[in-house]
Amino acid sequence: MSAGWFRRRFRPEGQLPTPRPPGPRASPVPYRRPRFLRGSGSSPGAADAARRPDARPVRSPARGRTLPWNAGYAEIINAEKSEFNEDQAACGKLCIRRCEFGAEEDQEWLAVCTEEFLTGHYWALFDGHGGPAAAILAANTLHSCLRRQLEAVVEGMVAAQPPMHLSGRCICPSDPQFVEEKGIKTEDLVIGALENAFQECDEVIGRELDASCQGGGCTALVAVSLQRKLYVANAGDSRAILVQRDEIRPLSSEFTPETERQRIQQLAFVYPELLAGEFTRLEFPRRLKGDDLGQKVLFRDYHMSGWSYKCVEKSDLKYPLIHGQGRQARLLGTLAVSRGLGDHQLRVLDTNIQLKPFLLSIPQVTVLDMDHLELQEDDVVVMATDGLWDVLSNEQVARLVRTFLPGNREDPHRFSELAQMLIRRTQGKEDGPTGEGQVSYDDISVFVIPLYGQDQGGSGC
């Protein structure tokens, strides 16, 4: 959608917002770049707004600043598509405290120590739309939500098998058997904590933006290391891949209106009032016209992965629930993603139809067991927002990784240098075997996370 559409996007009670004076909109949090970019030599804000599309600087952490696992990071602002860089990034150490039930208060958690019990690390990318506020809030909030959710289940995580009751009570002697039959493992508790953290963060963003009369949303891609496993949680269209010498392993799936067509159509089938009589949930190869009335045309519904034919009725001429193909596909003619955080106030233009019921904040979580990998020195996870993947394929990124890292093993900053090189390859400035002449005009943020020789600890300190 155009920038003008985003300026008109939120209309409480169907009314146009009061005109505002020129300049950046008020935000519940100040606009900023990631904290670990402080001292990187390029100031955000107004300087970014005055950029030229052909002179966008690639920013990385200052040479003296080390990220968890010596990960590399780089970013570039969009080519004047929006006023600010709407991507955000966060990383750091996760410190999880151990809690136990008190002897006399078996219904209340009591923290028995303030020191760390389990430690892990966290990397996250947030790709904002409709303004930077939601992504900034997510970067400030999600790690805290995750820590709380992990502390609520940490006793189960360190047990040989997650117990039925964290209190240690044995209500039913067969409880361990029931847990085993369900196949519940430690990693399932971490997956549940991630899912709950995304949900909690989404609610926080909704409250904060509503209180400040703001709107907007963001996708979220998170990697968490705990107990020798790497958990990758994705809600949106960012992507993470594992690159090894002989293998490329996708660690996430993009969630778009096309990839989640059946879920979205089924929701419209169960709750047709969500469409307010303005849209058809059925999918056709193209937008139908009046001349199609009475003709038998290809279609599919929520229960179909294949196609069939139906006789076109007048109701089929309404705007489709999902319109367009590939990168042009839009949900209710509005959003290009089907999962993410925020967008609680987002409505279809000139209607009161909300998009939030169709948008999920729950991520898909992929688990990578580090002990089952034969890791080598140049094995990395590459996480990036969609601006990178619009131009470079998994294979092209892997080729650049395998070409660059072996020849730069003595450089302590090589992972940030690699992240910068990946971004430069999207700017049409460097000739090479990948993506010659292709340009991404979107914001791009990239983490390169090395896996070899990482001792995650996991015990108390």
Side-chain angles (χ1 to χ4, degrees), residues 25-194:
R25 292 171 298 183
S27 175
V29 291
Y31 173 74
R32 64 169 179 81
R33 300 313 307 143
R35 291 185 177 90
F36 54 76
L37 284 181
R38 291 173 182 171
S40 63
S42 178
S43 60
D48 285 346
R51 63 198 177 278
R52 299 194 317 273
D54 60 342
R56 296 182 285 154
V58 178
R59 303 182 64 194
S60 281
R63 287 275 169 156
R65 189 178 293 272
T66 302
L67 305 186
W69 287 13
N70 196 33
Y73 176 82
E75 69 172 37
I76 191 170
I77 192 171
N78 63 82
E80 298 184 330
K81 186 184 76 170
S82 61
E83 183 177 4
F84 297 110
N85 187 336
E86 294 182 343
D87 282 2
Q88 285 291 330
C91 64
K93 185 177 181 181
L94 278 175
C95 303
I96 304 161
R97 296 177 303 169
R98 184 176 185 176
C99 300
E100 291 181 351
F101 279 107
E104 298 179 357
E105 295 179 271
D106 59 1
Q107 299 301 316
E108 298 291 336
W109 284 115
L110 296 177
V112 298
C113 68
T114 57
E115 295 182 344
E116 304 156 7
F117 178 62
L118 281 180
T119 61
H121 294 91
Y122 167 93
W123 303 263
L125 296 175
F126 306 97
D127 186 350
H129 50 259
I136 294 173
L137 284 167
N140 289 346
T141 304
L142 184 55
H143 62 282
S144 298
C145 297
L146 178 58
R147 186 182 66 247
R148 283 193 295 271
Q149 295 295 337
L150 288 170
E151 288 178 350
V153 299
V154 68
E155 292 293 334
M157 290 170 56
V158 298
Q161 179 189 65
M164 181 77 171
H165 293 275
L166 277 180
S167 64
R169 285 185 176 182
C170 185
I171 306 299
C172 175
S174 300
D175 280 351
Q177 180 181 345
F178 288 124
V179 173
E180 184 176 358
E181 289 176 350
K182 287 286 186 181
I184 302 172
K185 303 182 293 294
T186 297
E187 65 185 48
D188 296 309
L189 296 179
V190 180
I191 292 171
L194 279 161

Side-chain angles (χ1 to χ4, degrees), residues 41 49-50 108 133 281 376 383 388 415 427 441 459:
E108 298 291 336
R281 74 170 188 273
Q376 300 184 43
M383 299 170 54
L388 182 84
F415 299 109
Q427 303 306 297
Y441 296 100
S459 59

Side-chain angles (χ1 to χ4, degrees), residues 87 127 384-392 426 440-444:
D87 282 2
D127 186 350
T385 52
D386 67 318
L388 182 84
W389 308 109
D390 286 347
V391 173
L392 299 178
T426 70
S440 174
Y441 296 100
D442 201 359
D443 302 311
I444 302 176

Side-chain angles (χ1 to χ4, degrees), residues 259-376:
T259 63
E260 293 210 279
R261 172 189 62 83
Q262 288 180 276
R263 176 187 69 79
I264 294 168
Q265 285 181 314
Q266 184 173 25
L267 185 61
F269 169 75
V270 176
Y271 301 102
E273 63 274 13
L274 294 176
L275 301 181
E278 297 287 342
F279 293 82
T280 174
R281 74 170 188 273
L282 302 181
E283 181 185 13
F284 303 96
R286 62 163 169 81
R287 175 84 185 273
L288 298 183
K289 304 176 181 179
D291 291 343
D292 293 310
L293 278 172
Q295 303 296 314
K296 283 195 172 183
V297 302
L298 285 164
F299 88 105
R300 59 180 174 179
D301 205 348
Y302 72 92
H303 61 282
M304 303 168 62
S305 58
W307 293 80
S308 187
Y309 287 91
K310 79 178 297 286
C311 188
V312 176
E313 305 171 27
K314 189 174 181 180
S315 60
D316 298 325
L317 302 183
K318 296 175 182 177
Y319 201 86
L321 173 60
I322 298 170
H323 183 60
Q325 296 182 7
R327 288 289 175 181
Q328 304 304 315
R330 293 294 182 270
L331 172 59
L332 294 169
T334 304
L335 275 184
V337 294
S338 56
R339 296 200 190 192
L341 308 174
D343 289 314
H344 295 260
Q345 298 86 4
L346 184 57
R347 288 173 168 79
V348 177
L349 187 63
D350 294 327
T351 77
N352 279 321
I353 299 175
Q354 294 182 311
L355 276 85
K356 190 61 178 177
F358 297 97
L359 297 174
L360 281 184
S361 61
I362 307 304
Q364 179 191 65
V365 183
T366 301
V367 184
L368 193 64
D369 191 330
M370 307 271 283
D371 290 330
H372 292 172
L373 296 174
E374 295 182 3
L375 292 173
Q376 300 184 43

Side-chain angles (χ1 to χ4, degrees), residues 439-460:
V439 179
S440 174
Y441 296 100
D442 201 359
D443 302 311
I444 302 176
S445 301
V446 180
F447 274 119
V448 177
I449 306 171
L451 301 183
Y452 182 76
Q454 303 299 344
D455 182 6
Q456 298 181 64
S459 59

